[in-house]
Amino acid sequence: MKNVILSALALAVICITSVAQEHIGLGTGNYSGVNRLYLNPASNVYSPVTWDLTIVGFGVGAYNNYAFFENTNYFHIIANEDGFQKDIHTEANQTNAIQYDFYDDDKKKFAVGNAHVTFPSIMLQHNQHAFGFYVRTRSQVGFNKLNPDVGYHNLDELATADVLAIDKFSGGLLNWTEIGFNYAAPLLESSNDVISAGVTLKYNLGHDAVFAANRQDVVVSEIDDNEIEISAIDLSYGYTGNLERLSNNEDYDARIYGNGLGVDLGATWLIFDNGVPNENFKKSRCNPADKYRWKFGAALVDIGYIKFKDNAQKLQIKSDAITLINDSIYEQLESIEGFDRQASLDALGQSFASVNSDKFTMLTPAALTLTADRRIGNNFYINALVVRNIKLSSQQPARANLIALTPRFETGALGFAIPISVVNEQSFNIGASINIGPLTIGSDGITNFFGNKTIDDGSVYAALHINPSNLGFGCPAGSKGKRGGRRDGCPTFK
């Protein structure tokens, strides 16, 4: 059983490490279109463009303090044809495969990652009303605050009579597509500031889900080389059909196995130096004198659920008695279904006693986001971002906690940003993103592309989107709102 757990952990962490968190460079700029809505649904009120069409976008990455790649970089990993090998620290056994290993320390463990693909989506602004529509396929996997005892080396070095304590934990994986409808508008205005609110309603389509929740502390001890003793246990877990298909070496099936609803709620507070744009505001907002000095935001995002009713399994292993596990039996199992039956037999005395339901509900990875954006020159800004995971259920993938500070330069046609972030109070990253016309590319961990180093986190993202500014109808430096004797693409207000 120990070897089965170790193999599963190694595979899971390699997969997670090869899949980002908030893709900071995509969503913090004023010309980001629908990408701004993912952090706050009120972000596009007083946008500098009247419309923005996202053609396609994607982001992928991960953060963890469980495992790492050694002496490599992203380019080496992408070009790798020799696979991966656990570093056994002996020169005679080294190959061309990229080496990986596991941290051996007393820190709480976490492994979180996400990915998304944005399909054609649009943001519109009319007068002071902002609208948005987007379609995005997402993946989120995450476990936070795992007991250090579940570290690979603690399990690998477990010897006869050793005792291992495993605290309560929960987490999982969710793959889904969301269809979002956004609306935002000003609520309160004074002479120099305005408070706006926004909402995004979502229809969620579920593709895959896996969750595991250990609801009480467990003590594990090794009796001999083949037997492990587990104290009273209360473990609930579930999965949809693709986990079973993959365990049987069958092809992945991206069908929809569930559906649900979701909502994002947010507000922004803009402070202007020269008065709030209002019904008397007839000029283009491209004039530097009309840009905000401060912008604050707060939002609750990804409050939602997906109910999986097709091809789903939920199981529960709850026993007050001591359970003896024969390691050699589990090593011979070839599918997740075989594991289910054997674990149920060992803990409950019957092979199918653990089956709890043929459906279950997963919550989406909810978070609180806080932002502060300060203009420090005509086109220079500095942005502060805080994202905090909100755990609402044990059947929910964890989201990383993030603190980031991002200086940036932006115009409609050109921009760049340097995100500096800390994930889960442990992982420090320096990123970079650049916007040239309709193309934005970047990474929240740019240093991982160069040199030979230890890699345990990072991301890459890109988006192709068009709006009046990056098509050449926007505001050149020093513009007063006119170009070629005609209005540019920036909004006007009655």
Side-chain angles (χ1 to χ4, degrees):
M1 182 66 171
K2 180 177 72 174
N3 293 331
V4 173
I5 294 174
L6 291 174
S7 299
L9 286 172
L11 177 62
V13 172
I14 288 173
C15 290
I16 289 173
T17 308
S18 61
V19 290
Q21 263 328 99
E22 304 304 332
H23 316 301
I24 300 168
L26 277 183
T28 52
N30 285 311
Y31 295 89
S32 300
V34 296
N35 292 293
R36 303 174 76 193
L37 300 178
Y38 308 145
L39 291 173
N40 189 321
S43 292
N44 277 329
V45 178
Y46 293 108
S47 168
V49 292
T50 52
W51 60 269
D52 185 284
L53 174 64
T54 293
I55 300 170
V56 67
F58 81 92
V60 61
Y63 299 88
N64 90 102
N65 69 343
Y66 196 91
F68 56 91
F69 295 116
E70 294 183 331
N71 299 320
T72 189
N73 59 52
Y74 281 166
F75 291 120
H76 291 161
I77 293 174
I78 293 170
N80 173 40
E81 296 180 352
D82 299 302
F84 302 93
Q85 178 189 39
K86 186 180 183 304
D87 189 348
I88 50 181
H89 303 292
T90 56
E91 291 294 333
N93 290 285
Q94 298 300 317
T95 69
N96 291 326
I98 291 177
Q99 307 295 307
Y100 67 89
D101 205 344
F102 298 84
Y103 288 111
D104 187 11
D105 54 41
D106 294 328
K107 294 181 179 179
K108 288 277 190 180
K109 303 300 180 186
F110 69 89
V112 290
N114 70 33
H116 80 265
V117 176
T118 301
F119 298 97
S121 304
I122 192 167
M123 159 263 172
L124 300 169
Q125 189 172 201
H126 177 68
N127 293 334
Q128 297 178 355
H129 302 272
F131 306 88
F133 169 79
Y134 61 82
V135 179
R136 193 164 64 136
T137 294
R138 301 174 60 185
S139 177
Q140 177 80 33
V141 58
F143 290 84
N144 277 337
K145 299 182 178 179
L146 296 175
N147 191 317
D149 278 3
V150 303
Y152 182 95
H153 292 290
N154 288 335
L155 291 170
D156 186 41
E157 297 164 8
L158 189 66
T160 300
D162 283 352
V163 174
L164 195 67
I166 301 177
D167 294 345
K168 299 175 183 177
F169 69 84
S170 66
L173 174 145
L174 182 61
N175 296 330
W176 78 108
T177 295
E178 59 185 16
I179 303 171
F181 301 87
N182 171 261
Y183 172 72
L187 286 183
L188 299 171
E189 293 185 16
S190 67
S191 59
N192 286 304
D193 64 342
V194 58
I195 295 175
S196 303
V199 58
T200 299
L201 301 179
K202 304 177 185 179
Y203 181 56
N204 296 324
L205 303 171
H207 303 295
D208 284 298
V210 178
F211 76 89
N214 179 41
R215 294 192 171 93
Q216 72 176 53
D217 298 343
V218 175
V219 176
V220 178
S221 57
E222 184 158 321
I223 305 301
D224 55 40
D225 289 342
N226 290 319
E227 277 199 327
I228 296 175
E229 179 183 276
I230 301 177
S231 67
I233 187 172
D234 186 0
L235 174 67
S236 177
Y237 67 101
Y239 56 87
T240 52
N242 271 316
L243 181 62
E244 186 174 348
R245 293 175 64 86
L246 293 174
S247 72
N248 291 325
N249 296 316
E250 298 177 29
D251 292 337
Y252 182 85
D253 184 353
R255 285 185 298 171
I256 296 169
Y257 290 104
N259 55 63
L261 300 174
V263 64
D264 296 347
L265 300 170
T268 58
W269 176 27
L270 280 74
I271 300 173
F272 296 85
D273 286 338
N274 298 291
V276 175
N278 54 36
E279 66 272 14
N280 297 315
F281 185 67
K282 299 295 184 182
K283 301 180 301 177
S284 162
R285 288 195 56 244
C286 301
N287 191 327
D290 298 316
K291 297 180 179 179
Y292 62 79
R293 175 65 62 181
W294 281 99
K295 181 176 182 178
F296 300 96
L300 294 171
V301 297
D302 290 330
I303 308 297
Y305 72 94
I306 299 173
K307 188 170 185 178
F308 289 92
K309 298 176 287 187
D310 184 18
N311 208 11
Q313 287 271 6
K314 181 178 180 181
L315 304 99
Q316 184 169 20
I317 298 176
K318 184 174 183 179
S319 174
D320 295 329
I322 291 176
T323 300
L324 294 178
I325 301 295
N326 189 314
D327 197 15
S328 61
I329 294 178
Y330 284 85
E331 290 180 357
Q332 299 174 24
L333 299 177
E334 297 181 351
S335 69
I336 184 64
E337 185 178 9
F339 172 87
D340 296 340
R341 304 289 80 82
Q342 186 63 45
S344 180
L345 179 64
D346 287 339
L348 306 175
Q350 297 180 16
S351 297
F352 291 89
S354 63
V355 177
N356 182 266
S357 177
D358 61 357
K359 56 181 176 290
F360 62 86
T361 298
M362 287 285 285
L363 298 193
T364 49
L368 168 69
T369 69
L370 302 172
T371 57
D373 206 43
R374 174 69 157 87
R375 182 169 65 89
I376 55 177
N378 183 13
N379 296 309
F380 288 92
Y381 296 79
I382 187 164
N383 179 274
L385 169 66
V386 176
V387 179
R388 304 300 296 182
N389 177 60
I390 299 177
K391 182 179 178 180
L392 300 174
S393 169
S394 60
Q395 295 176 200
Q396 177 185 31
R399 191 168 183 151
N401 295 314
L402 174 76
I403 300 174
L405 192 68
T406 306
R408 76 180 188 276
F409 168 85
E410 65 175 22
T411 66
L414 177 67
F416 62 85
I418 305 175
I420 303 168
S421 60
V422 178
V423 178
N424 278 356
E425 290 76 50
Q426 294 187 39
S427 178
F428 176 79
N429 300 275
I430 299 176
S433 68
I434 186 168
N435 176 69
I436 302 176
L439 177 64
T440 300
I441 58 173
S443 170
D444 292 343
I446 195 69
T447 58
N448 290 332
F449 284 89
F450 309 103
N452 292 319
K453 58 182 298 182
T454 296
I455 295 179
D456 59 15
D457 56 26
S459 71
V460 63
Y461 48 80
L464 186 65
H465 65 112
I466 57 175
N467 58 50
S469 287
N470 65 35
L471 288 177
F473 302 108
C475 312
S479 169
K480 298 299 183 181
K482 300 279 187 178
R483 183 171 184 174
R486 61 184 242 180
R487 300 292 294 179
D488 61 20
C490 299
T492 57
F493 302 92
K494 294 181 178 178

